[in-house]
């Protein structure tokens, strides 16, 4: 029975469907606690639990007793997923539906992420803002994958959603949406659209077409294959119905809203715990694509202006998706030969049937595979596979042999150099995995030239970065003979990460670990509980590298404690501050004016530095803000400097149009980052360690934490940033815009938060960190003779841009 009219209609109905696989249902329902959706920007959320079986029913009823939003819908044992979803959707009263399988999960904050985006799509009273166009029928979003032994691996969908941004599109305008993983959990569906479209209809099958054409050979082969099952080590494909329905939501939709944020978690059980996949299920993969392409071509034909160019045609994209999927399925599954032959024959039929006009043949091995598939040349394909495997094995053996010989030669040279005396006046520097002269090592090297000119600095720089070095920089390229020679003979080795495992720690050599940020995210051994972030890190090898450290540099007591916890060893902590931050106290007004001139920032114009960090659960980088809208709201007197994380390289920023318009400056490849900080009137960041450095300047910082719960869960953190932030915290773009278009970004509340944050995290940064390091490590002075740390309250940071260029 539906609730009475006095109840406000929910914005979103979460349909949790299925049994209670491995007891996960309770954990899932607990993650949907009311606090997750405690925002005023949208209506309520209801949770319909289409519970299959007594165990699931009991779990749903237990949660309903504590959460009135939870509506148990008991279903008998044996109810399939399709029937459970249908029943749940029929019971739902929300304007949007999100189907969540009972075995999957929602990352922390996912409901808020979804409902905030729905609130952007909808105007007052839930009416969708469409600007005269058809409303969005679905919202597509990103997801992560977890297995029985690893959590939070990113999906393969990031590149599609990164290109789509937060736009609302038609499938014809952006057919690459068809590359999204075909699961219902990564899309939120408008209820009216779901109920008005025949989305769950099963596509016609190739088998039925063959039977209609009276092909007895095909029937006989199908009957033989249907009796065989294949026990696979890989994950079975999505059920025919779910994948078909997921694709159908895109094909039927008028417009599709996009969200490049993680809001769903696919949980995969151990392969051994799943039923074996039958031949009929593999053949259903072919049938699905056949039916979907038939449906798509019919829908396109009904359009008044169907897409003409091959490259822009959704049918061409869906065809590419099909061929990729069928070839992967054939290559990676261990089908018995009769099943494999029949699968290949059927796949060949649909490959020929739906090959688009004007299709461009692929080159290389992929082109050969496709050609053999279209010819139904099963025996030739198997022979090609065998030859290709043999070729790869031979190439791998040759490559391994070459590397082995090269490694032996390098090892011989290195060990010969190790027998020579240590050079007391040689120091080797590296930063960010050999990216160049940067960060704390660069500041130390500069001060070394001033205070200890007898020590020669040599930089380790990757070959492709050497051309970017300052003129006259003495450097070596990894793997070269001189590289091993200087590593063997140097008295001092300085790095903000670690040198390779092969580097031997000589007893009379000094290794200085400077680090490259204050830790908010979990580091070192603290990543043991976060395998998705650790990404297979060899912790024993890590500790072996840590054991080579003589000194570990810190900017504050928090860092010192966390380094000792994450990297336990016998090194000496140096509570001296970060040398890279010295410039925040030594830069003059002339320096700041010169930096802003180089960046093209006019005097008096407000500059906001937006510097987001890397996320382990995203495939690539795209701004998490609609920068065009933000720039419009901030007006012509404000310029936004956008700095992508260095993990993504210099070509990461998709900001060409905004850059040309002069409203946003892409400074992702600008070095050093400290100059950007000096040029900025305020910092916008999320979880980047730049906030700890920028706080030295005493200028406003605004935190944009739109996915804090997901980040904290997948990466692990040392403290609750939103509760201890250096300024105001925004969780939506609307909140951020409100802060930046009023005086909130620099009000008294923000100032007090910054003062507390600065006192805690800028504890040792006073402008003399590099001097202390050089005098202690390179000149051997005692701790007592070093310059004492100036208290935070007594420091004078570099002038602000307004102070540097007063009107």
């Amino acid at each position: 029975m539906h609730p009475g009219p006095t109840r406000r209609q929910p914005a979103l109905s979460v349909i949790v469907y299925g049994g209670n696989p491995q007891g996960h249902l309770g954990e899932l329902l607990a993650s949907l606690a009311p606090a997750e959706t405690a925002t005023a920007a949208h209506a309520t959320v209801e949770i319909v639990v289409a519970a299959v079986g007594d165990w699931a029913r009991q779990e749903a009823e237990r949660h309903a007793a504590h959460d009135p939003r939870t509506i148990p819908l008991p279903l008998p044992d044996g109810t399939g997923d399709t029937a459970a979803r249908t029943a749940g959707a029929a019971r739902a009263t929300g304007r949007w539906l999100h189907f969540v399988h009972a075995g999957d999960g929602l990352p922390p904050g996912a409901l808020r992420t979804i409902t905030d985006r729905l609130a952007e799509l909808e105007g007052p009273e839930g009416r969708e803002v469409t600007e005269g166009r058809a409303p969005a029928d679905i919202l597509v979003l990103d997801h992560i994958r977890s297995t029985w032994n690893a959590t939070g691996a990113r999906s393969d969908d990031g590149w599609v959603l990164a290109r789509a941004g937060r736009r609302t599109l038609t499938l014809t305008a952006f057919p690459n949406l068809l590359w999204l993983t075909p699961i219902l959990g990564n899309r939120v569906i408008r209820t009216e659209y779901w109920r008005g479209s025949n989305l769950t209809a099963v596509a016609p099958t190739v088998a039925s077409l063959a039977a209609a054409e009276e092909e007895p050979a095909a029937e006989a082969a199908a009957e033989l294959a249907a009796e065989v099952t294949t026990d696979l080590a890989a994950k079975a494909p999505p059920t025919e119905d779910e994948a078909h329905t997921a694709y159908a939501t895109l094909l039927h939709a008028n417009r599709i809203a996009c969200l490049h944020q993680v809001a769903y978690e696919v949980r995969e059980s151990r392969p051994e715990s799943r039923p074996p996949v039958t031949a009929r299920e593999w053949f259903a993969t072919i049938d699905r694509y056949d039916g979907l392409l038939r449906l798509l071509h019919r829908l396109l034909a009904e359009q008044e202006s169907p897409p003409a160019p091959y490259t822009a045609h959704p049918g061409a994209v869906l065809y590419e998706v099909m061929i990729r999927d069928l070839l992967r399925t054939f290559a990676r599954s261990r089908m018995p030969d009769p099943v494999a032959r029949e699968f290949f024959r059927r796949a060949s039929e649909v490959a020929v049937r739906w090959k688009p006009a004007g299709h461009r043949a692929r080159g290389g091995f992929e082109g050969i595979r496709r050609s053999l598939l279209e010819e139904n040349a099963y025996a030739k394909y198997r022979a090609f596979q065998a030859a290709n495997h043999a070729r790869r094995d031979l190439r791998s053996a040759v490559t391994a042999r070459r590397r082995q010989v090269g490694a032996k030669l390098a090892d011989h040279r290195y060990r010969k150099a190790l027998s020579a005396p240590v050079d007391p006046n040689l120091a080797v520097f590296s930063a960010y995995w050999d990216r160049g002269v940067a960060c704390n090592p660069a500041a130390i090297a500069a001060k070394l030239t001033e205070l200890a000119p007898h020590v020669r600095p040599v930089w380790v720089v990757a070959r492709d970065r050497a051309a970017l070095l300052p003129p006259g920089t003495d450097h070596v390229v990894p793997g070269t003979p001189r590289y091993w020679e200087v590593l063997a003979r140097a008295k001092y080795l300085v790095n903000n990460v670690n040198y390779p495992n092969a580097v031997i720690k000589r007893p009379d050599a000094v290794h200085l670990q400077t680090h490259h940020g204050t830790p908010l995210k979990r580091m070192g051994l603290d990543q043991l509980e976060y395998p998705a972030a650790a990404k297979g890190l060899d912790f024993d090898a890590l500790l072996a590298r840590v054991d080579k450290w003589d000194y570990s540099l810190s900017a504050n007591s928090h860092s010192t404690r966390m380094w000792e916890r994450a990297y336990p060893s016998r090194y000496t902590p140096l509570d001296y501050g970060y040398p890279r931050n010295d410039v925040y106290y030594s830069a003059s007004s002339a320096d700041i004016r010169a930096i802003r001139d180089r960046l093209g920032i006019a005097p008096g114009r407000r500059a906001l530095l937006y510097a987001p960090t890397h996320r382990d659960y995203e495939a690539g980088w795209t701004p998490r803000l609609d920068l065009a809208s933000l720039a419009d709201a901030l007006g012509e007197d404000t310029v936004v400097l956008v700095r992508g994380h260095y993990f993504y390289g210099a070509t990461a920023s998709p900001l060409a149009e905004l850059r040309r318009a002069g409203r946003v400056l892409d400074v992702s490849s600008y070095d050093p980052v400290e100059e950007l900080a000096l040029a900025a009137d305020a910092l916008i960041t999320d979880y980047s360690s730049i906030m700890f450095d920028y706080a030295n300047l005493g200028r406003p910082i605004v935190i944009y934490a739109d996915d804090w719960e997901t980040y904290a869960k997948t990466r692990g953190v040392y403290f609750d940033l939103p509760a201890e932030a250096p300024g105001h915290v925004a969780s939506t773009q609307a909140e951020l815009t409100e802060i930046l278009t009023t005086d909130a970004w620099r009000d008294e509340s923000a100032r007090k938060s910054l003062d507390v944050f600065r006192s805690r995290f800028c504890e040792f940064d006073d402008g003399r960190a590099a001097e202390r390091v050089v005098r202690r490590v390179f000149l051997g002075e005692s701790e007592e003779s070093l310059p004492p740390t100036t208290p935070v309250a007594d420091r004078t940071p570099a002038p602000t841009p307004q102070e540097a260029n007063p009107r």
Side-chain angles (χ1 to χ4, degrees), residues 626-634 658 663 733 737:
D626 182 342
L627 291 170
S629 297
L630 181 63
D632 285 342
L634 297 179
L658 294 172
R663 297 151 59 198
Q733 177 151 339
T737 303

Side-chain angles (χ1 to χ4, degrees), residues 46-263:
E46 70 174 4
I47 303 163
V48 178
V49 186
V52 176
D54 288 340
W55 192 14
R57 174 187 56 79
Q58 292 167 5
E59 196 67 66
E61 291 174 347
R62 184 172 68 85
H63 280 271
H66 303 287
D67 184 357
R69 304 172 309 153
T70 301
I71 304 169
L73 182 61
L75 298 172
D77 268 323
T79 302
D81 285 349
T82 301
R85 285 196 300 268
T86 302
R91 178 64 180 82
T93 63
R95 297 189 296 277
W96 294 81
L97 305 174
H98 189 202
F99 294 102
V100 179
H101 191 274
D104 290 339
L106 293 186
L111 280 187
R112 192 188 71 188
T113 297
I114 293 170
T115 50
D116 283 349
R117 182 69 175 103
L118 296 180
E120 293 177 8
L121 295 173
E122 296 182 335
E125 305 301 324
R127 296 189 182 91
E128 191 158 0
V129 180
T130 61
E131 299 178 356
R133 295 170 292 182
D137 289 323
I138 63 173
L139 167 66
V140 292
L141 44 88
D142 205 353
H143 67 282
I144 54 176
R145 286 189 173 273
S146 297
T147 63
W148 64 275
N149 63 349
T151 59
R154 63 195 184 193
S155 75
D156 295 326
D157 298 344
W159 70 273
V160 178
L161 294 169
R163 293 183 183 180
R166 299 173 75 88
R167 293 181 291 170
T168 300
L169 306 158
T170 65
L171 187 62
T172 302
F174 193 63
N176 277 335
L177 290 171
L178 289 165
W179 287 104
L180 294 176
T181 304
I183 55 175
L184 288 173
N186 66 0
R187 52 207 75 193
V188 182
I189 305 168
R190 191 162 53 85
T191 306
E192 183 182 356
Y193 167 62
W194 171 267
R195 292 173 177 167
S197 303
N198 191 21
L199 295 177
T200 58
V202 178
T205 66
V206 175
S208 65
L209 293 173
E213 295 170 7
E214 298 183 352
E215 296 182 8
E219 282 189 8
E223 289 175 4
L224 170 65
E227 300 300 323
V228 188
T229 60
T230 173
D231 193 2
L232 299 169
K235 172 178 167 57
T239 64
E240 189 277 336
D241 176 71
E242 181 184 8
H244 176 271
T245 304
Y247 279 121
T249 60
L250 295 175
L251 301 186
H252 284 281
N254 286 314
R255 296 175 74 228
I256 302 160
C258 303
L259 179 62
H260 182 214
Q261 288 180 244
V262 171

Side-chain angles (χ1 to χ4, degrees), residues 245-418:
T245 304
Y247 279 121
T249 60
L250 295 175
L251 301 186
H252 284 281
N254 286 314
R255 296 175 74 228
I256 302 160
C258 303
L259 179 62
H260 182 214
Q261 288 180 244
V262 171
Y264 194 77
E265 179 184 17
V266 175
R267 294 179 176 176
E268 300 175 2
S269 57
R270 291 188 67 219
E272 293 79 6
S273 70
R274 298 190 291 266
V277 181
T278 67
R280 289 191 186 278
E281 288 173 317
W282 289 123
F283 297 157
T285 304
I286 303 172
D287 300 344
R288 175 173 69 243
Y289 284 114
D290 185 58
L292 288 168
L293 281 161
R294 192 178 305 278
L295 169 65
L296 175 58
H297 282 271
R298 177 175 62 80
L299 293 173
L300 291 174
E302 294 172 357
Q303 292 184 6
E304 293 182 4
S305 300
Y310 163 74
T311 55
H313 199 296
V317 176
L318 186 55
Y319 179 81
E320 292 294 326
V321 173
M322 176 185 74
I323 296 300
R324 180 204 64 174
D325 196 9
L326 296 185
L327 287 176
R328 284 185 178 181
T329 299
F330 179 75
R332 297 179 181 181
S333 61
R334 295 198 297 266
M335 301 179 190
D337 191 67
V339 177
R341 285 181 180 274
E342 178 62 13
F343 182 94
F344 197 85
R345 185 190 69 80
R346 297 186 183 196
S348 176
E349 286 185 354
V350 296
V352 173
R353 179 182 299 130
W354 296 112
K355 186 176 180 179
H359 182 269
R360 292 189 293 271
R362 297 274 186 103
F365 291 121
E366 179 66 14
I368 296 173
R369 292 187 186 95
R370 290 174 175 234
S371 176
L372 293 174
L373 177 65
E374 292 174 14
E375 294 173 16
N376 189 25
Y378 176 80
K380 290 181 180 179
Y381 193 99
R382 286 302 196 197
F384 173 74
Q385 272 188 313
N388 200 28
H389 289 159
R391 179 188 60 81
R392 284 203 301 263
D393 291 344
L394 178 61
R395 185 173 60 185
S396 297
V398 171
T399 301
R401 178 60 180 164
R402 286 176 178 171
R403 288 176 178 171
Q404 189 178 43
V405 172
K408 285 184 177 180
L409 181 59
D411 184 65
H412 173 73
R413 289 171 174 164
Y414 182 48
R415 293 189 179 278
K416 183 179 179 180
L418 286 171

Side-chain angles (χ1 to χ4, degrees), residues 596 604-606 681 800-807:
R596 286 171 67 97
R605 198 177 189 194
R606 180 175 62 163
D681 296 274
T800 66
Q802 287 75 20
E803 292 169 341
N805 204 340
R807 293 183 177 180

Side-chain angles (χ1 to χ4, degrees), residues 591-607:
D591 294 329
I592 294 172
R593 288 195 299 270
I595 295 169
R596 286 171 67 97
D597 285 345
R598 285 196 294 273
L599 291 168
I601 304 172
R605 198 177 189 194
R606 180 175 62 163

Side-chain angles (χ1 to χ4, degrees), residues 409-433:
L409 181 59
D411 184 65
H412 173 73
R413 289 171 174 164
Y414 182 48
R415 293 189 179 278
K416 183 179 179 180
L418 286 171
S419 64
V422 165
D423 185 342
N425 296 321
L426 177 60
V428 178
F429 290 83
S430 181
Y432 297 121
W433 299 274

